[in-house]
Structures are given as structure tokens and as C-alpha cells.
Amino acid sequence: MKGANDTLEQLAEARDKDQWGSINGLEKNLAFHLSGHILHSIYWHNMTGDGGGEPLEKDGVGELADAIAESFGSFEKFKAQLTKASATTQGSGWGVLAYEPVTGRLIVEQIYDHQGNVGQGSVPILVFDAWEHAFYLQYKNQKVDFIEAMWHVVNWQDVAKRYTAAKERANNLLLAP
Ligand SMILES: [Fe+2]
């Protein structure tokens, strides 16, 4: 959060002095740092040692499993898309499963850096860190192996919880009159 707090301080200074020469860079930094913080926070909760496999009704995550099947055709097709999106990110970024409030369905997004290429209002519920720092030490440049390993530790309970919360908040985002 330090990056975001520093940027907020710099913006407060710009307001106080009425000096806006750095406004573009500051706004970009704010988006970058806030989004990086949020994505990493989700990431740590998305993974667990006894996770993996696919979401199943018997594990209490049937609603999420149904939403995945409805939105992508099947779990396998969803897995293929999120794997591909994560593995082919240009430069640094993330592959993300997100709840999209306008259509009320799940989508896969390919995020550049921490904040680019995202639909406004979509809520990330499962995120794969595809920055080099996430995989390089253990997997060298085998990004695909790293992503396959992440599928074995997905905490579907956490993803399902986030899915329910995102759906409940959807109306606040849309602000229907
Ligand atoms: Fe990271």
C-alpha cells in the first residue's frame, strides 16, 4: 500500500500548490499501485495447499460451478481460456476470472501491468499472477508450467465466496435509477 499512499500524498501536494504538471503520471501510478495491492491480496487468498481440482457441488461451491459452466460452456473450456490468457500476457500482467455486472456473467480478463485492459466494474474473483517475479525463480521462463501448478492449489471456497459477494454488490455498481 506504500506506493498508493505515496501517490495520494503527492496528489494532495499538487492540490495544495495548484501544480498539475505531474497529474498524468500520478493518476497512472495511483491506478497501478491500488490495483496491484488489490490483485495480490486476492491472489494470496485464492491459493491453498489442499485446493485444486474443479469446483463441485459436494464441496459447497455448486453455484460457482454452474456459473462457470453457463458462462464458458464447461469447466474445461474455462480452464483453457484462463490458462491461455495468463500464459500469453504481453509483458507483465495477470489472467483473471471476473464477475461482470452488466451481463451478470463470468468473464476472463487479461490484465496488463495491474490495471490495463479491464472492463470498468468487473470484479476479479480468481487471479493468476503472470508477472515474471511470480514464476521466474522456480520455473525460469516456463510460464505455462507455473500456471498449471497454480490450478492445483486454487481455493474454490474462496473463489465461490468472492463470486457471491460480487453478485450482491452488482446493483451498487450499476446504480439503476
Ligand atoms: Fe506479483
Side-chain angles (χ1 to χ4, degrees):
M1 253 333 248
K2 190 184 179 309
N5 287 332
D6 287 352
T7 309
L8 287 169
E9 265 171 41
Q10 288 166 314
L11 281 162
E13 204 181 307
R15 287 194 300 276
D16 287 345
K17 295 181 178 163
D18 198 22
Q19 276 177 3
W20 301 107
S22 306
I23 182 74
N24 289 351
L26 289 173
E27 296 291 1
K28 187 175 179 229
N29 283 347
L30 185 63
F32 178 87
H33 290 300
L34 284 175
S35 303
H37 177 76
I38 289 168
L39 288 170
H40 280 109
S41 304
I42 297 171
Y43 185 56
W44 304 131
H45 289 104
N46 274 168
M47 308 290 157
T48 177
D50 55 3
E54 62 178 283
L56 296 170
E57 195 169 354
K58 71 172 176 62
D59 300 321
V61 292
E63 209 185 326
L64 172 69
D66 290 348
I68 288 174
E70 270 168 40
S71 301
F72 299 98
S74 69
F75 178 79
E76 285 311 313
K77 287 178 187 165
F78 152 67
K79 186 180 171 188
Q81 186 178 345
L82 181 53
T83 299
K84 218 41 171 181
S86 307
T88 60
T89 309
Q90 294 167 316
S92 295
W94 300 72
V96 168
L97 171 66
Y99 177 75
E100 201 295 298
V102 177
T103 57
R105 50 179 281 178
L106 293 168
I107 58 171
V108 164
E109 294 185 308
Q110 189 180 50
I111 298 179
Y112 296 134
D113 292 334
H114 296 317
Q115 79 279 29
N117 208 35
V118 250
Q120 299 297 320
S122 53
V123 182
I125 63 171
L126 171 63
V127 304
F128 284 2
D129 192 339
W131 279 57
E132 196 176 74
H133 68 221
F135 64 87
Y136 188 74
L137 277 184
Q138 223 182 324
Y139 295 92
K140 300 299 170 199
N141 52 4
Q142 299 305 312
K143 210 191 252 190
V144 174
D145 293 350
F146 169 64
I147 288 152
E148 193 46 50
M150 277 196 290
W151 283 109
H152 293 289
V153 291
V154 173
N155 182 345
W156 291 113
Q157 261 78 22
D158 180 67
V159 180
K161 222 166 55 190
R162 291 172 190 280
Y163 171 62
T164 303
K167 264 199 338 188
E168 282 167 4
R169 283 196 305 259
N171 288 339
N172 299 339
L173 283 167
L174 293 174
L175 289 174

